[in-house]
Amino acid sequence: MAAQAAATTFNGNLKKALAGLRRINLEGLRWRVFDAKGQVLGRLASQISTVIQGKDKPTYAPNRDDGDMCIVINAKDVCVTGRKLTDKVYYWHTGYVGHLKERSLKDQMAKDPTEVIRKAVLRMLPRNKLRDDRDRKLRIFADSEHPFGDRPLEPYMMPPRKVREMRPRVRRALIRAQKKAEEQEQGGCQRKGRKREAKTEVAA
């Protein structure tokens, strides 16, 4: 009954959300929930790939699939740094001659934001026979709604982001650039004032 109630409240593609669950041995697995809102794409994907491989467990072995189920919500609110939103491009080929397709990260986020996180996570996983099984354990949703409300969910706490302090040489260069910009602005104002004074003298 609880599963049916959770499924009825979910407004997305239920068939796609529940696809492949029967092929996963859910006994002993935890259901970890990742909230992608405000998280950096690469840092979030690295944490998901660690959990989905089971590397956070003391019983980890590279030949066994002991990873937990990973549910990612709010995929549409994930963030990127720098100019990746316009500069990062996804390529694929249709198989026909000259049919190399491309799509920017901005367009992909507008089309399907769940695919952005899925590709980031899958490209961090090793290319072996366990790859498909680990892919089935990853469930990504664009909004905060998902059909797994009847499961014992555990929210995953992202580690705090460590921002490296600016190096002394870079800090000194930044201060010099700021001072130079201020001097140029002051010099420009003084030149304008001198030009105005010269114009008034000529007019007199």
Side-chain angles (χ1 to χ4, degrees), residues 15-29:
K15 185 177 180 180
K16 182 179 179 181
L18 301 178
L21 274 182
R22 296 180 180 178
R23 302 181 63 177
I24 304 174
N25 184 14
L26 300 176
E27 185 179 356
L29 297 185

Side-chain angles (χ1 to χ4, degrees), residues 18-198:
L18 301 178
L21 274 182
R22 296 180 180 178
R23 302 181 63 177
I24 304 174
N25 184 14
L26 300 176
E27 185 179 356
L29 297 185
R30 293 185 294 176
W31 293 73
R32 316 294 291 274
V33 180
F34 294 80
D35 191 357
K37 189 172 184 179
Q39 297 292 337
V40 181
L41 176 61
R43 296 176 183 275
L44 175 67
S46 64
Q47 296 295 323
I48 296 173
S49 64
T50 300
V51 174
I52 211 170
Q53 293 178 76
K55 283 190 172 183
D56 58 337
K57 298 180 180 180
T59 58
Y60 167 74
N63 63 329
R64 291 203 313 266
D65 185 22
D66 293 338
D68 295 325
M69 293 291 297
C70 295
I71 302 173
V72 185
I73 59 177
N74 296 321
K76 63 179 182 180
D77 298 326
V78 73
C79 300
V80 290
T81 58
R83 302 177 181 175
K84 297 185 185 69
L85 200 61
T86 54
D87 292 356
K88 183 176 177 60
V89 181
Y90 296 97
Y91 296 96
W92 72 96
H93 202 283
T94 62
Y96 290 93
V97 177
H99 282 235
L100 178 65
K101 304 294 183 179
E102 64 179 34
R103 184 180 295 151
S104 66
L105 176 59
K106 185 177 181 180
D107 296 337
Q108 183 62 43
M109 288 292 292
K111 184 177 178 64
D112 187 10
T114 62
E115 197 65 22
V116 173
I117 299 179
R118 184 177 301 279
K119 286 184 177 180
V121 173
L122 288 183
R123 291 173 181 181
M124 292 184 183
L125 298 178
R127 278 77 171 171
N128 53 23
K129 293 182 179 180
L130 302 176
R131 186 184 177 91
D132 293 339
D133 296 335
R134 289 167 176 168
D135 183 22
R136 293 189 192 98
K137 292 183 177 180
L138 179 61
R139 306 288 160 158
I140 308 173
F141 303 95
D143 299 319
S144 59
E145 297 179 354
H146 60 84
F148 303 109
D150 58 320
R151 304 286 182 173
L153 303 178
E154 299 179 17
Y156 185 85
M157 296 298 296
M158 290 288 293
R161 183 180 178 185
K162 297 180 181 179
V163 181
R164 188 177 63 182
E165 294 183 1
M166 191 178 296
R167 295 177 180 175
R169 183 180 299 177
V170 179
R171 188 186 295 111
R172 290 194 295 267
L174 182 62
I175 293 172
R176 286 197 300 267
Q178 291 176 353
K179 288 183 178 179
K180 188 176 181 180
E182 291 176 358
E183 290 175 358
Q184 289 179 353
E185 290 179 0
Q186 293 177 358
C189 295
Q190 291 177 0
R191 289 173 186 172
K192 289 181 181 178
R194 290 173 184 172
K195 288 182 179 179
R196 289 175 184 173
E197 291 176 358

